[in-house]
Amino acid sequence: GQQLNQSPQSMFIQEGEDVSMNCTSSSIFNTWLWYKQDPGEGPVLLIALYKAGELTSNGRLTAQFGITRKDSFLNISASIPSDVGIYFCAGLSGYALNFGKGTSLLVTP
Amino acid sequence: NAGVTQTPKFQVLKTGQSMTLQCAQDMNHEYMSWYRQDPGMGLRLIHYSVGAGITDQGEVPNGYNVSRSTTEDFPLRLLSAAPSQTSVYFCASGTGGTGNQPQHFGDGTRLSIL
């Protein structure tokens, strides 16, 4: 599969701070997706992006589909303790979804 | 509101045994897929299906078979279990079309091969 480079690998922040993570690829994708996974559970879809340049929000989350179609970023504003988890980016090429290795987010009260 | 249901939640097998991981969804989704998740590797696509009677291979299909006889069910078969198949397996479904991406994941099957 096509390799996605997701960074940072982990983040340790205080409640109330903003968070930014990104994903890059050497390949072009038609769709970018962001998921959150809590321990012992399956990933949950947060945001789906379908057009280059698209900027989409879901509550305190904002994600953008890069102009080159090779990258995407996810921002979380005013973090809260329940934001803790692993965030995955994923790029869709045809019917195959390629995942990044995840960003582990820890939020302290 | 069942969504995607995976069974069993945990399983231990001996090398060489076969078994089937079950996946069912009640949302009438056309697209279903199987992933494995290993530490530090993210999720990797094993097989997927875009509708009943249609299946295709993903990134890591070797050692696994799938079938899609109904829209609701997408079982994953391990033909002869190997220690390298120790992993957490996730099934996912989606609405298909431009939404050919996993929108709903099950809670996973944790499989250990001894």
Side-chain angles (χ1 to χ4, degrees):
Chain A
Q2 294 146 330
Q3 190 168 4
L4 299 188
N5 299 308
Q6 187 172 349
S7 63
Q9 188 174 0
S10 61
M11 302 183 73
F12 188 75
I13 63 171
Q14 282 194 318
E15 183 177 1
E17 290 184 2
D18 296 343
V19 173
S20 183
M21 58 191 77
N22 68 80
C23 215
T24 61
S25 172
S26 57
S27 304
I28 290 174
F29 292 110
N30 296 321
T31 300
W32 280 95
L33 305 156
W34 286 92
Y35 295 85
K36 178 177 184 270
Q37 186 177 27
D38 292 324
E41 298 182 9
V44 173
L45 180 62
L46 299 173
I47 293 179
L49 302 158
Y50 300 108
K51 291 174 57 177
E54 179 181 355
L55 184 71
T56 298
S57 294
N58 179 7
R60 294 178 295 104
L61 278 61
T62 301
Q64 184 157 30
F65 191 145
I67 294 289
T68 65
R69 295 165 62 191
K70 294 182 178 181
D71 63 322
S72 177
F73 71 76
L74 175 70
N75 287 340
I76 305 173
S77 62
S79 59
I80 58 178
S82 62
D83 290 334
V84 166
I86 302 177
Y87 292 79
F88 290 98
C89 64
L92 183 66
S93 177
Y95 294 120
L97 196 63
N98 301 274
F99 280 83
K101 294 183 179 180
T103 294
S104 178
L105 179 63
L106 293 175
V107 180
T108 58
Chain B
N1 186 19
V4 178
T5 303
Q6 290 185 237
T7 56
K9 294 190 184 302
F10 301 93
Q11 184 70 50
V12 178
L13 293 177
K14 293 181 179 179
T15 298
Q17 286 184 315
S18 62
M19 81 159 293
T20 299
L21 279 63
Q22 302 291 343
C23 176
Q25 52 93 6
D26 61 358
M27 297 168 284
N28 202 32
H29 282 170
E30 292 294 326
Y31 179 84
M32 295 186 74
S33 52
W34 276 101
Y35 292 81
R36 60 177 290 173
Q37 185 174 32
D38 301 300
M41 298 291 291
L43 285 88
R44 292 181 293 169
L45 180 63
I46 304 172
H47 286 283
Y48 66 92
S49 169
V50 298
I54 306 169
T55 64
D56 208 343
Q57 296 180 350
E59 179 186 356
V60 288
N62 292 339
Y64 308 96
N65 273 358
V66 292
S67 60
R68 185 90 181 274
S69 56
T70 67
T71 299
E72 293 77 20
D73 300 298
F74 190 43
L76 178 73
R77 297 181 187 85
L78 278 70
L79 308 174
S80 177
S84 61
Q85 293 178 304
T86 293
S87 187
V88 182
Y89 291 84
F90 288 100
C91 178
S93 72
T95 53
T98 55
N100 264 334
Q101 67 264 13
Q103 295 159 322
H104 300 272
F105 278 83
D107 285 337
T109 294
R110 283 141 188 87
L111 182 63
S112 293
I113 314 296
L114 304 178

